[in-house]
Amino acid sequence: MSTATQPQRVAIVTGGSRGIGRQAAQRLAADGQAVVIAYAGNDAEAEKTVTEITAAGGRAIAVRADVADENAVAELFDTAERAFGGVDVVVHAAGIMLLGTVADLDLDALDRMHRTNIRGTFVVDQQAARRVRSGGAIINFSTSVTRLALPSYAAYAAGKSAVDAISLILAKELRGRDITVNAVAPGPTATALFLDGKDEETVDRMAKMNPLERLGTPGDIAEVVSFLAGPARWINGQTVYANGGIA
């Protein structure tokens, strides 16, 4: 019997310095993967994530990159390949959420979300499609708001609907490569992205919308990422709703 060990899998996690991205990075590191934390600008939080992973015995580095900048994202993948030998998993958790009704939303906010949430997904997925090794996984982030249709979320949900479409079509384009492509669609989750600007009454009301009557945690979502990044080889081209049954 061969005693050769399998090479360590390598994951890039965008938005990996905080919230769901950080928890996903920590979970993948705990699963045995080397992790490249991609972040937009908070050096301290990115280094904190790396420190926590390495203190727990994992391998991690941080790379600053604007996900909508194709040159920065190409360099991100180059860095991952130089540091760890290749890329097996890409978790694209970076995103922004700016709320407003269709009648009142500032169009600059619409353009900012389009650049980060749609163009950013396309740019990251483009490099992932070119670079991820056989047996790998690409995991994008959608939202359960595409089903809930909550007022003031139209622009955000529209961008995430584009993520669903990109994920499904890319899964088909990668035929024969043994690479899965899926999207994770969280419901209300206790992160700064969700909590910022909401009063306690609104948070409590949204927490009770699902049958489990609580907000999700970043750890809940990281469990789904871990599954799709590793054993879930027969789930492909799907949007997986991780929301406690809210919709």
Side-chain angles (χ1 to χ4, degrees), residues 171-187:
K172 294 186 176 184
E173 290 178 347
L174 295 182
R175 173 183 294 274
R177 296 269 304 278
D178 190 24
I179 296 169
T180 61
V181 187
N182 294 288
V184 178

Side-chain angles (χ1 to χ4, degrees), residues 21 47 120 129 197 229:
E47 288 304 322

Side-chain angles (χ1 to χ4, degrees), residues 4 10 14 22 32 46 51 64 72 87 92 104 118 127 182 232 237:
V10 179
T14 71
R22 170 184 278 178
T51 298
R64 188 168 180 165
V87 178
H92 180 48
D104 297 326
I118 301 179
Q127 287 297 321
N182 294 288

Side-chain angles (χ1 to χ4, degrees), residues 119-207:
R119 179 185 169 90
T121 298
F122 201 97
V123 169
V124 170
D125 280 10
Q126 185 174 75
Q127 287 297 321
R130 296 170 179 174
R131 312 254 201 143
V132 168
R133 296 184 287 203
S134 178
I138 301 169
I139 303 163
N140 293 318
F141 265 77
S142 181
T143 177
S144 290
V145 177
T146 56
R147 285 184 171 179
L148 294 171
L150 298 175
S152 79
Y153 283 81
Y156 179 71
K160 292 302 188 177
S161 294
V163 173
D164 293 341
I166 292 167
S167 303
L168 172 58
I169 292 170
L170 180 56
K172 294 186 176 184
E173 290 178 347
L174 295 182
R175 173 183 294 274
R177 296 269 304 278
D178 190 24
I179 296 169
T180 61
V181 187
N182 294 288
V184 178
T189 304
T191 65
L193 183 71
F194 170 76
L195 296 171
D196 283 354
K198 294 182 175 68
D199 58 36
E200 186 175 351
E201 180 182 354
T202 299
V203 172
D204 288 344
R205 175 174 52 80
M206 295 187 76

Side-chain angles (χ1 to χ4, degrees), residues 106-117:
D106 187 321
L107 292 180
D108 286 341
L110 177 67
D111 291 342
R112 284 178 60 198
M113 281 192 289
H114 183 284
R115 185 178 190 280
T116 298
N117 296 353

Side-chain angles (χ1 to χ4, degrees), residues 210-237:
N210 70 74
L212 300 180
E213 297 190 334
R214 67 171 177 85
L215 292 178
T217 68
D220 292 327
I221 311 305
E223 286 185 352
V224 181
V225 171
S226 173
F227 182 55
L228 295 174
R233 300 308 302 165
W234 200 234
I235 299 175
N236 192 23

Side-chain angles (χ1 to χ4, degrees), residues 63-87:
V63 178
R64 188 168 180 165
D66 174 358
V67 295
D69 181 334
E70 63 271 32
N71 295 318
V73 172
E75 178 58 28
L76 166 65
F77 278 75
D78 287 345
T79 302
E81 290 172 350
R82 286 193 299 265
F84 298 124
V87 178

